[in-house]
Amino acid sequence: MSRRRAWAELLRLPALFTVPGDALSGAVAAGARPGPRTLLAIGSSLCLYEAGMALNDWADRVEDAAERPHRPLPSGRIQPSSALAAACALTAAGLGLAAGAGRPALAVATPLAATVWAYDLGLKHTPAGPVAMAAARGLDHLLGAAATTGRPRPALSSAALLGTHTLAVTAVSRRETQGGTSLPPLAALGVTAVLARVVAAGGRREESAVRGGPALRGGPSLQGGQTQRESLRGGPTPGQALRTALAATYAVTAGRPYTHAALNPSPPLTQRAVGGGIRATIPLQAALAARAGAGLTALAIAALAPLGRRYAKKVSIT
């Protein structure tokens, strides 16, 4: 039991619930319904994400021995060689699953894996660290689009929004063991407000559906009589209401702990801000899916949030 817990801590299992939404929201952003290849993309994303977690602790084992001696490697519960072997095996599995989804998916997964390794082994403690993490999350979103449709380009704008959120979270995380400055959480709070506003405003595909154009496959039809009457009267459609609600949930989930950390930048509150930012990834992914007009996919992504909260009570997400 203690060994399983050690691996759960090393791999930060609660954070896994933030991963499937990347591929799902990427698929619908590209105008497709999630299918079997999307599942392969999700499997690839999960493997590469966990490879990054194991590699992160392997690379930081000396630093963690001084700052976080309770972590699995410095505490001796897992050997560094085992963590490195796990990172290699998970990377190979992730690339294999991407290859199974097709050549376009592998073409995205390969730079994604390279970015993960570059971040953990060299970029993490440089000014390029947050940018690398943002790029990794954006590529993970594009992986879902590439696997499902073979065309990642339509998902570039939503990938940029997701990457911007990750950039803000990573900037805060660089001070999570020291605290001492309000600037990163304050900046992250501003970024969160802007992103929530942009996502709530909707996208061209969703707006086209409201005007009576073809609804996005995999999303709710916005062409019913009642919906059209609400649109003509200027009232919100169900899709618009869902998108606004998810954007608000994202803003609250990330914004509240950011505010606390900005007012009191102590290590515990900064760590909570990082955890809040990570958890907020799920409602942001759901809001992006709703923005693309895929209400059912958005609800499926949002359903991952309570599961993540449940397991975060047992294992730390950071």
Side-chain angles (χ1 to χ4, degrees), residues 140-151:
D140 202 34
H141 182 76
L142 295 177
L143 177 57
T148 308
T149 69
R151 298 175 290 102

Side-chain angles (χ1 to χ4, degrees), residues 230-256:
E230 288 178 352
S231 181
L232 289 173
R233 291 198 303 265
T237 67
Q240 291 169 333
L242 176 62
R243 186 186 67 234
T244 301
L246 289 169
T249 302
Y250 160 68
V252 171
T253 304
R256 184 178 297 168

